[in-house]
Each structure stands twice: as C-alpha cells, then as structure tokens.
Amino acid sequence: MTDRKDIEELIGKIALGDRAALAALYDATSGKLFSVCLRVLKSRSEAEDALQDVYLRIWAKADRYAVTGHSPMTWLITVARNLSIDRLRARKSNNVDLDSVGELVEKRPGPEAATIAASEQRRISACFKELPPDRADAVRAAYLDGATYQALADRFDVPLNTMRTWLRRSLIALKECLSR
C-alpha cells in the first residue's frame, strides 16, 4: 500500500510532467477512485470513463495540489467525486440500475490493507455516530450520493443557508473527531 508521502511525491512529479509518476499514481489509487466514481454514477461504464477523466484532470491540475498536512487521497477523492457529480448532473435522468450492470470483479486487498481499511471504517462510523442523525444523513447524501444543497434543504425542510451551515459544521466536527 502506498503511503501519504509517496502519493504526495507522485503528485509533485506529475506536476513536473512525469508520465511514469502518473502511471504509478494510477496503479496506487485507481481502485479507490473508481469506487468513488461508481458510488456516485452507479454505472460501471460511466465510472470507467469518469476515472479516465479524473486522471486527465489530475495531470492537468497536479501543480495546484498543495501539501497542507492533509491526506493527498482527500484531494484525489475530491477531484473524482466532483467530476462524477458533474457527469451525473449532465446526464439528466438516464439512471441505470446497479443490479442491471452485472457482476463487478475487483482485486481483494491483502490482509494488512483490509485490516487498515476496517479500522478506518470503524473510526469514521464512530465519528458519524457523534453527529445528530439528520446531520449525518445530510453529509452522506451530499458527499457520497451527490445531492445538491437545495435538494437537501428541501428534503430536511430547512432553509438553504441552514443546510450549508449544517454541512460545514458537520464536516468540522468529523475532522476534529478523526484527528483525535
């Protein structure tokens, strides 16, 4: 598994035009970024296209990545999620049921990676439990399902700016919880 410093180093090399670094970054992160695209788009073929665009965007904007102490995966996942949400909004209402896509074949992570992922998942779940249930649902809908702020405000029957405040404060609470 590639660690934070390795990914930051690869992004730095990509900013300088190193194609081998892009290939290495793809090998290290494509599984995670594909799952983000698939989660938002719910279409394997569209997620594959989006993933290609994600790496094109990373190639074009790697110089904008700033080492801030935060995980570089956060930046990569944000790029993938935002691009997928853009595609989702652009396609109007051509929804494809995930069950009709067929069987998804993935390489399973090794025992160490699976243990680390399970530990991180427990930490994130515990932090989500600290949020009020409606705030946790709003965060999941906004950042995992691609719901717009307006759609969430309508769903939870609150003003738009209140929804923005909920999401911002919830993200701050999650960040504080995860940094403990």
Side-chain angles (χ1 to χ4, degrees):
M1 183 171 194
T2 308
D3 67 10
R4 170 186 286 187
K5 290 185 183 207
D6 292 339
I7 294 174
E8 287 175 348
E9 190 175 306
L10 290 172
I11 293 171
K13 288 179 180 178
I14 291 167
L16 297 173
D18 186 343
R19 291 174 188 243
L22 182 65
L25 183 72
Y26 179 87
D27 291 340
T29 61
S30 62
K32 176 69 175 172
L33 298 184
F34 176 74
S35 68
V36 170
C37 294
L38 184 60
R39 169 84 188 228
V40 172
L41 296 169
K42 297 177 179 30
S43 164
R44 185 176 179 86
S45 63
E46 205 167 345
E48 289 169 352
D49 291 343
L51 185 65
Q52 181 178 1
D53 290 344
V54 166
Y55 284 97
L56 289 172
R57 187 167 290 176
I58 290 168
W59 176 261
K61 298 189 179 206
D63 60 331
R64 294 186 185 170
Y65 173 74
V67 178
T68 60
H70 299 275
S71 172
M73 280 303 294
T74 303
W75 182 71
L76 296 172
I77 290 168
T78 301
V79 170
R81 185 181 63 80
N82 290 348
L83 192 136
S84 297
I85 289 171
D86 291 347
R87 283 177 162 259
L88 185 66
R89 290 177 180 157
R91 76 175 180 197
K92 306 283 186 222
S93 64
N94 297 335
N95 294 335
V96 176
D97 186 1
L98 192 56
D99 294 336
S100 67
V101 173
E103 205 56 39
L104 298 177
V105 180
E106 282 188 356
K107 294 180 181 177
R108 293 194 160 259
E112 181 182 8
T115 302
I116 291 170
S119 172
E120 287 296 310
Q121 194 276 332
R122 283 191 298 273
R123 284 183 60 219
I124 292 169
S125 293
C127 289
F128 263 96
K129 288 179 183 175
E130 291 181 13
L131 294 176
D134 55 350
R135 306 308 198 273
D137 290 342
V139 169
R140 284 185 188 101
Y143 298 105
L144 296 177
D145 297 334
T148 65
Y149 290 167
Q150 186 62 55
L152 289 170
D154 295 342
R155 175 175 159 191
F156 290 96
D157 196 28
V158 296
L160 178 61
N161 286 334
T162 300
M163 179 53 61
R164 289 181 176 144
T165 301
W166 279 14
L167 293 172
R168 183 176 49 80
R169 288 181 180 169
S170 296
L171 290 177
I172 290 169
L174 287 171
K175 180 181 174 183
E176 288 173 0
C177 176
L178 289 171
S179 65
R180 284 187 244 147

